[in-house]
Amino acid sequence: RLWFLDQLDETAINIPLAVRLQGRLNVNALQTAVNQIVARHAALRTRFVMEEDQPRQQLQPALPILLIHVDLTHLPTHARLAEAETIATRESQHKFDLTQDVLLRAHLIQLGQLPSEPAAGENFVLLLTLHHIAADGWSLGVLLDELTAVYTATAQQQPHPLPPLPIQYHDFAVWQRQWLQGERLDQQGDYWREQ
């Protein structure tokens, strides 16, 4: 359904996430952590191509994505916050190319020290944008938990802390498609037609 909607409209079907980070930040460890999350989740590395007039999923290898670093510290404080909001809005509305793109984009906006929060030290905003075909609202919590764990381990030069995933999202989708057949599919169809 999301693939079909993506084909019909120029509107982005994105899930944007902005996370405020304060204090010292190891940008290289964050870059590594983002790439380890993309490598871990096949849904983020899936593209959709047409084969025999049907969309087909193609799993891509874990290629590194760039954490785009935007330094706004040269701007006055009020302008930094306004520009960060402009970047976040623009990024959330930027459409993914489902035939080519990794389905996660990452930007790090450096705000520097803010007079309203002098004790916080450095301030950053991490923007993560996912296509809705690869994630939903619930998965954002999983993504943040895993990203935090991997970042912390990487920054402390510790091994990757997450166990391998026993199944990927596409495994679940195959199971669901097999489960939703025959009488069960008829029952579900009848229910929704009645509704």
Side-chain angles (χ1 to χ4, degrees):
R1 175 177 61 90
L2 290 170
W3 175 87
F4 181 72
L5 291 173
D6 186 81
Q7 303 305 299
L8 285 180
D9 198 348
E10 287 300 312
T11 304
I13 307 173
N14 295 342
I15 300 177
L17 177 64
V19 180
R20 182 86 175 271
L21 306 173
Q22 294 179 317
R24 290 183 46 209
L25 181 69
N26 182 329
V27 177
N28 290 332
L30 183 59
Q31 171 74 71
T32 298
V34 167
N35 280 301
Q36 287 186 13
I37 294 302
V38 171
R40 180 175 169 76
H41 293 281
L44 298 174
R45 296 180 284 109
T46 300
R47 66 182 191 166
F48 298 83
V49 297
M50 293 299 290
E51 290 180 3
E52 300 175 11
D53 295 327
Q54 292 292 317
R56 300 278 184 231
Q57 295 179 346
Q58 275 188 352
L59 182 59
Q60 300 302 300
L63 300 173
I65 65 167
L66 178 64
L67 173 66
I68 299 170
H69 187 181
V70 181
D71 185 349
L72 300 180
T73 58
H74 64 284
L75 298 174
T77 302
H78 70 283
R80 289 182 223 167
L81 298 174
E83 182 62 17
E85 189 172 321
T86 299
I87 293 168
T89 300
R90 184 176 59 236
E91 176 55 25
S92 72
Q93 296 171 353
H94 181 74
K95 189 172 178 173
F96 283 90
D97 178 350
L98 295 181
T99 66
Q100 298 294 322
D101 294 341
V102 171
L103 300 180
L104 170 71
R105 292 190 298 258
H107 288 72
L108 180 65
I109 301 174
Q110 185 172 351
L111 299 173
Q113 290 192 322
L114 300 175
S116 61
E117 301 172 9
E122 286 290 311
N123 287 271
F124 300 87
V125 177
L126 176 63
L127 299 177
L128 300 174
T129 308
L130 298 97
H131 193 286
H132 197 3
I133 205 166
D136 58 15
W138 180 81
S139 26
L140 293 181
V142 173
L143 176 77
L144 278 180
D145 289 347
E146 289 187 358
L147 185 61
T148 300
V150 174
Y151 168 78
T152 301
T154 304
Q156 296 173 356
Q157 299 179 345
Q158 299 295 316
H160 187 299
L162 303 175
L165 292 173
I167 64 170
Q168 292 282 337
Y169 182 73
H170 62 269
D171 298 318
F172 171 76
V174 168
W175 168 82
Q176 187 178 47
R177 187 175 299 128
Q178 291 170 346
W179 176 79
L180 193 57
Q181 292 182 6
E183 185 178 328
R184 190 172 283 123
L185 178 60
D186 293 340
Q187 289 172 345
Q188 292 289 316
D190 292 345
Y191 171 81
W192 286 109
R193 277 189 286 279
E194 186 176 312
Q195 297 304 314

